Amino acid sequence: MLPSQALLPAVVFALTALQALASDTFIAAVYEHAVILPDPTEEPVSPDDALALMNKNMDVLERAIREAAQKGAHIIVTPEDGIYGWQFTRESIYPYLEDIPDPVVNWIPCTEPSRFGPAPVQERLSCMARNNSIYVVANIGDKKPCNSSDPKCPSDGRYHYNTDVVFDPQGKLVARYHKYNLFVVESQFNYPKEPEAVTFETPFGKFGIFTCFDILFYEPAVVLVSKMQVDTVLFPTAWMNVLPFLTAVEFHSAWAMGMGVNVLAANTHNTSIEMTGSGIYAPAGARTYSYNMETEDGHLLIAELDAHPRLSPASPPAVSWNSYALSVERFSKNDHEFTGIIFEDPFTFTELTKPGGNLTLCQKDLCCHLSYKMAEKRDDEVYVLGAFDGLHVVEGQYYLQICTLLKCPSTNLSACGEPVETAQTKFEMFSLSGTFGTSYVFPEVLYSGVQLAPGEFEVLTDGRLRSRAATSKPVLSVTLFGRWYEKD
């Protein structure tokens, strides 16, 4: 006898869970979404108009979710701002917000849509998860009333939170996260009173979640990995790419490697403001990624990941990031140091004037060691070794230690550090290390065209970032990006 229609989602969920339990891997999906934006306005639109716009975006997301499920994905991450965009004031965002309860209430919006008042967005997301038997991760806005008894209550009597939600394959709300580190332009939202370390268990590992700018700070990002021991990070983002170190695919893949976890990064897609770059990243490198500044199309990515990467034989060993750099004599001293600016930070640079060699460059307590050999030293391209040890103060404050091998935009040394997307010089080998004071270092290798180099480099246990062989493509940058959280 066939199970009733009402029982089908539960049956499928149970079968999915058993299938996942039988394996040490799972199938992940992320969707980079070209968000349909509302017309800019400082005045609130009607709730019906707000919902109509959100339904247009959810129509697109639903097709991606259905396709991911049909291809075997167990979980899909969609982007920050993916349902309504980002062009809002505090007043104009309000019609797009819903009251999102704590997941302890044990709620399936798809089957109980009115339990906590009108929640059409949560209802639809829940049904997407339930009807496709897949975990769905989305970013929406939460509203919480407050009054004068709360000294921090905003003057309009409500808190607005940039919020991630997760629905399980039965459609149940299993996670809610309020973004803690808001970007400078997010004036429509409030900061939570305390950082939230949100985790949930699945048949294929322990998951944590945070949003976009959070990744640059200790709480909640590092707490989830180092203290809560999550296996996989879910990362909705609206990331504007900043060369040379902070393009989405470059930094997010490096963060996964440096932290030793899986990262499912779903970015919004809007080339007019440099938004692109999504990926499924493992500790050993990118499993799949997309960087597309040519079209305005969305893109679905699917890949298999280890459910417990720390236990996987493929997981890289622990790294002592300053071990090699502290143990060696400084390479040849150079007399051609100069200062250049990267994202308002004053770097110390020295030019790579020869086809190969060994260089040491220091700034404050950070000394960077580079060994390299170019396939050919071109007269029309300049590379430098750079070092920065200091507090970054633009769009937030955070302490950085960075060693980098970097292509300059032109032969004019004063331009070194400015963004450049193409190169022609390949390297037969490189090895980069530094005397880092932090244990949180993220290794980046970026090729011409803003492309990653999975499998073409390795990080040794003594902290050297080293090419495995000659590079397959011209090099834009090779970077050890250190975050010294204790000095923030």
Side-chain angles (χ1 to χ4, degrees):
M1 181 177 179
L2 291 174
S4 70
Q5 192 70 29
L7 289 176
L8 275 175
V11 172
V12 175
F13 172 66
L15 291 173
T16 302
L18 287 172
Q19 182 183 29
L21 281 170
S23 174
D24 293 326
T25 65
F26 69 102
I27 306 298
V30 302
Y31 183 67
E32 180 164 312
H33 175 40
V35 184
I36 302 167
L37 299 174
D39 294 329
T41 176
E42 294 186 3
E43 299 297 323
V45 300
S46 70
D48 286 344
D49 286 346
L51 182 58
L53 184 280
M54 291 190 285
N55 273 324
K56 289 180 182 178
N57 280 299
M58 286 191 288
D59 288 344
V60 179
L61 297 181
E62 185 166 18
R63 289 193 291 271
I65 289 166
R66 186 183 305 115
E67 180 182 350
Q70 290 171 347
K71 292 181 177 179
H74 298 101
I75 186 167
I76 183 169
V77 182
T78 62
E80 181 185 25
D81 300 331
I83 290 177
Y84 47 65
W86 52 85
Q87 300 172 318
F88 297 104
T89 64
R90 181 171 179 83
E91 292 73 26
S92 65
I93 189 74
Y94 186 69
Y96 297 85
L97 308 180
E98 293 185 356
D99 186 354
I100 306 171
D102 189 307
V104 297
V105 298
N106 193 28
W107 181 40
I108 300 177
C110 188
T111 59
E112 299 178 276
S114 303
R115 180 177 167 190
F116 297 100
V121 174
Q122 292 172 84
E123 177 187 357
R124 188 167 179 189
L125 291 170
S126 169
C127 290
M128 289 182 201
R130 184 175 178 88
N131 294 340
N132 294 283
S133 299
I134 188 174
Y135 283 86
V136 170
V137 183
N139 176 262
I140 57 178
D142 189 9
K143 60 182 179 181
K144 290 288 180 281
C146 58
N147 55 44
S148 58
S149 65
D150 177 357
K152 294 185 178 181
C153 181
S155 59
D156 55 14
R158 59 184 186 257
Y159 289 105
H160 298 174
Y161 297 118
N162 180 331
T163 307
D164 297 328
V165 290
V166 183
F167 297 94
D168 75 8
Q170 291 180 307
K172 184 170 72 173
L173 178 68
V174 293
R176 180 196 67 184
Y177 168 70
H178 296 137
K179 185 178 180 181
Y180 185 62
N181 298 284
L182 296 175
F183 196 53
V184 290
V185 296
E186 293 186 271
S187 59
Q188 69 269 37
F189 293 118
N190 297 104
Y191 290 90
K193 295 178 181 178
E194 299 292 337
E196 302 170 353
V198 174
T199 68
F200 62 98
E201 298 283 350
T202 76
F204 38 91
K206 184 176 183 179
F207 284 69
I209 187 167
F210 55 80
T211 314
C212 202
F213 203 39
D214 284 326
I215 200 171
L216 286 166
F217 299 92
Y218 186 80
E219 291 186 300
V222 177
V223 169
L224 283 175
V225 178
S226 297
K227 294 185 177 181
M228 308 297 286
Q229 294 286 295
V230 299
D231 299 301
T232 299
V233 167
L234 307 173
F235 186 60
T237 184
W239 193 278
M240 291 178 285
N241 291 299
V242 180
L243 285 163
F245 311 132
L246 288 173
T247 62
V249 296
E250 172 187 27
F251 186 70
H252 304 158
S253 62
W255 198 89
M257 295 183 73
M259 297 302 294
V261 293
N262 301 322
V263 174
L264 311 186
N267 201 2
T268 54
H269 189 85
N270 189 307
T271 60
S272 67
I273 50 176
E274 304 290 330
M275 280 185 180
T276 184
S278 301
I280 298 173
Y281 308 114
R287 293 293 172 90
T288 184
Y289 74 97
S290 174
Y291 176 93
N292 172 23
M293 285 290 292
E294 304 302 320
T295 71
E296 293 300 330
D297 301 327
H299 193 72
L300 178 66
L301 298 169
I302 300 176
E304 187 174 23
L305 288 168
D306 292 316
H308 305 283
R310 291 181 183 85
L311 305 179
S312 169
S315 183
V319 177
S320 175
W321 286 103
N322 60 13
S323 179
Y324 176 80
L326 289 174
S327 69
V328 299
E329 295 288 334
R330 290 190 182 185
F331 296 147
S332 58
K333 188 178 185 306
N334 65 82
D335 299 317
H336 305 288
E337 295 179 4
F338 61 99
T339 299
I341 303 298
I342 299 179
F343 201 24
E344 304 300 325
D345 296 327
F347 274 67
T348 301
F349 289 133
T350 187
E351 183 182 355
L352 278 57
T353 58
K354 299 177 181 179
N358 304 301
L359 292 172
T360 295
L361 180 70
C362 300
Q363 185 182 101
K364 298 181 182 178
D365 295 328
L366 178 66
C367 287
C368 304
H369 302 301
L370 173 67
S371 297
Y372 72 97
K373 185 177 181 182
M374 298 176 181
E376 177 189 9
K377 179 72 172 70
R378 298 176 59 96
D379 292 334
D380 59 348
E381 290 197 325
V382 169
Y383 284 80
V384 294
L385 173 63
F388 176 72
D389 185 354
L391 185 68
H392 175 82
V393 295
V394 177
E395 298 176 348
Q397 294 192 5
Y398 40 93
Y399 201 95
L400 301 175
Q401 287 189 312
I402 298 175
C403 291
T404 183
L405 161 64
L406 186 69
K407 181 186 180 291
C408 301
S410 70
T411 56
N412 183 351
L413 295 182
S414 65
C416 292
E418 295 177 4
V420 57
E421 294 190 3
T422 59
Q424 298 182 70
T425 301
K426 296 181 180 180
F427 281 71
E428 292 187 9
M429 65 81 61
F430 59 77
S431 177
L432 180 66
S433 62
T435 56
F436 292 97
T438 176
S439 58
Y440 296 101
V441 180
F442 311 120
E444 305 177 344
V445 176
L446 197 63
Y447 283 167
S448 183
V450 193
Q451 298 298 308
L452 300 182
E456 295 200 15
F457 65 93
E458 60 185 345
V459 176
L460 304 185
T461 57
D462 62 9
R464 281 178 287 172
L465 170 55
R466 189 175 73 174
S467 57
R468 293 183 183 272
T471 63
S472 64
K473 297 177 182 178
V475 172
L476 285 181
S477 61
V478 176
T479 305
L480 291 170
F481 188 103
R483 271 289 283 118
W484 203 339
Y485 300 103
E486 296 84 354
K487 284 199 170 189
D488 285 357

